[in-house]
Amino acid sequence: MKQYLISPDVPSFKANLHSHSTFSDGKITPEELKRLYKEQGYSVFAYSDHNVLIDHSELNDDSFLTLTSTEIDVSNKISENPAKNPCFHLNFFAPKPDAVAMPCFNPRYIRDNHADLRDKQAYIGEPTYEKHYDTIHEIITAYKSLGFLCMLNHPTWSEQTYEDYRELEGVDMLELHNYGTSMIGLFEYNTHVFDRLLTAGKTLYGTATDDNHSTRDMFGGFVMISAPSLTYSDIFEALKNGSFYASQAPLIHEMYLEDGLLHVTTSPAKQIALTCCCRKALVVNAEEGQTVTEAVFDTNVMYPPFVRLTVTDEHGKRAWSQPIYGDFNNKYN
């Protein structure tokens, strides 16, 4: 019996889950961002401006849905130079579009260019919360208690180590690729972070995002969400359940398990690889000058507790599946 992980019969929606507009440090208005992203085939867009939580539902139409979200920055101040301070940046996604009351709120964290929002932003509790590295768990817990989803952003840019993020609880997603930080010269590919956390028993999903602030850092990282319809509830539920994959460009058209075999169909690729929690890997490479579009892998020869797929195209751009969990047959020798 086929167990579909990505089905061609379920609608898919292209999404950017990390963006900045003129409501924080972005250069482009929310309206113009909608126009630009719709032209590139995007259907879902998260306005995740810094330390404000705004419902942009007025921009919704039959083919475009906004997600209510925010990026919260929490620094570990060890230097007067902000560029030398490691930090957590977390995106929180509201369970409903109008869920705009922020916990752990302090108006002084709102950027000066939108000081007017300091008196308008809805919040819960006292507006005096001070963010510190050692209160990150409180912040995550407060948002999670309200039904928000949490994404850990750009750990490379944030200069985070395994000791920083291994103790985090309540993180639902991790940026495997952040196009914006890559465009400023950093190697923001975080599959090693993903694998270490998965191997440690964490349950989370991988994303690719733009983290766009201007026209320079657009259209380089996205997720393809499988959902019954383009409604807030269906898209949010799909993100919650990991019904999406991350990509820089390649597409995964179909992926299913049947009798221990993983069947995959993709856009033209130079390599389709299946990896697990150790050095074991299965791979299909294209011949020189050619591409491949399908692969079949025997998961019974892989190691527990998970496997995941990476598709690489002729330009070196990648797509990543979510981890596939299973009690695979092979054991360590």
Side-chain angles (χ1 to χ4, degrees):
M1 180 177 176
K2 292 182 180 180
Q3 177 191 348
Y4 271 99
L5 305 167
I6 298 173
S7 171
D9 297 327
V10 177
S12 61
F13 304 98
K14 190 174 185 178
N16 179 20
L17 297 180
H18 188 172
S19 71
H20 300 284
S21 75
T22 50
F23 277 89
S24 59
D25 59 347
K27 303 288 193 296
I28 306 173
T29 65
E31 294 80 7
E32 183 67 1
L33 284 170
K34 172 186 175 177
R35 183 186 69 80
L36 292 168
Y37 274 85
K38 277 196 71 172
E39 288 177 352
Q40 296 297 317
Y42 285 74
S43 300
V44 179
F45 196 85
Y47 292 91
S48 54
D49 282 303
H50 294 280
N51 301 306
V52 293
L53 190 57
I54 302 170
D55 179 3
H56 289 285
S57 294
E58 75 279 0
L59 299 177
N60 293 352
D61 60 39
D62 289 343
S63 59
F64 190 83
L65 177 75
T66 61
L67 295 180
T68 301
S69 61
T70 183
E71 183 175 26
I72 302 299
D73 51 280
V74 182
S75 295
N76 185 14
K77 189 174 182 181
I78 59 177
S79 169
E80 292 303 318
N81 182 351
K84 294 184 178 181
N85 292 326
C87 60
F88 283 104
H89 278 214
L90 300 164
N91 268 22
F92 291 101
F93 302 90
K96 297 180 180 180
D98 59 353
V100 295
M102 298 178 68
C104 308
F105 178 71
N106 190 323
R108 75 182 185 88
Y109 294 121
I110 295 178
R111 307 256 169 160
D112 289 340
N113 64 323
H114 271 285
D116 60 307
L117 292 176
R118 291 170 182 162
D119 295 326
K120 297 178 181 178
Q121 176 63 60
Y123 58 87
I124 298 169
E126 295 297 323
T128 55
Y129 192 86
E130 294 294 331
K131 298 181 296 185
H132 302 289
Y133 227 52
D134 56 0
T135 63
I136 190 66
H137 295 94
E138 290 181 29
I139 295 170
I140 295 174
T141 299
Y143 276 92
K144 295 288 290 185
S145 69
L146 298 173
F148 283 69
L149 297 177
C150 175
M151 180 170 73
L152 176 61
N153 296 341
H154 47 59
T156 298
W157 181 91
S158 296
E159 296 186 333
Q160 289 177 325
T161 66
Y162 184 56
E163 286 68 31
D164 289 325
Y165 50 73
R166 68 180 176 182
E167 301 301 328
L168 289 182
E169 298 293 341
V171 174
D172 302 287
M173 294 175 277
L174 163 72
E175 285 186 333
L176 301 184
H177 176 65
N178 180 301
Y179 184 57
T181 56
S182 295
M183 287 297 289
I184 63 173
L186 299 177
F187 192 75
E188 196 74 61
Y189 291 89
N190 299 304
T191 53
H192 62 293
V193 178
F194 197 40
D195 286 341
R196 291 197 75 177
L197 290 174
L198 292 173
T199 303
K202 304 291 186 181
T203 300
L204 71 165
Y205 305 115
T207 66
T209 72
D210 276 345
D211 191 4
N212 54 284
H213 293 75
S214 67
T215 55
R216 181 187 67 172
D217 44 16
M218 290 179 169
F219 318 132
F222 59 91
V223 298
M224 295 296 293
I225 303 172
S226 297
S229 68
L230 188 62
T231 61
Y232 201 102
S233 58
D234 280 350
I235 294 298
F236 186 86
E237 195 66 20
L239 291 175
K240 183 178 180 180
N241 294 330
S243 298
F244 61 92
Y245 67 90
S247 183
Q248 295 174 281
L251 300 177
I252 305 174
H253 299 308
E254 184 177 33
M255 187 164 69
Y256 64 89
L257 280 166
E258 186 174 32
D259 299 327
L261 300 179
L262 181 68
H263 299 254
V264 182
T265 305
T266 71
S267 57
K270 294 299 291 183
Q271 184 184 84
I272 305 173
L274 190 70
T275 55
C276 59
C277 60
C278 68
R279 290 186 294 272
K280 178 73 174 179
L282 302 176
V283 63
V284 172
N285 289 305
E287 298 291 338
E288 186 67 30
Q290 300 181 18
T291 58
V292 294
T293 59
E294 58 184 11
V296 179
F297 299 113
D298 185 358
T299 64
N300 293 308
V301 302
M302 302 299 279
Y303 294 101
F306 70 91
V307 296
R308 62 177 184 82
L309 191 78
T310 303
V311 181
T312 307
D313 71 12
E314 59 184 344
H315 303 293
K317 295 184 177 182
R318 296 177 173 87
W320 301 272
S321 79
Q322 300 310 334
I324 305 163
Y325 297 97
D327 185 16
F328 306 115
N329 290 342
N330 209 340
K331 303 297 180 186
Y332 291 103
N333 293 321

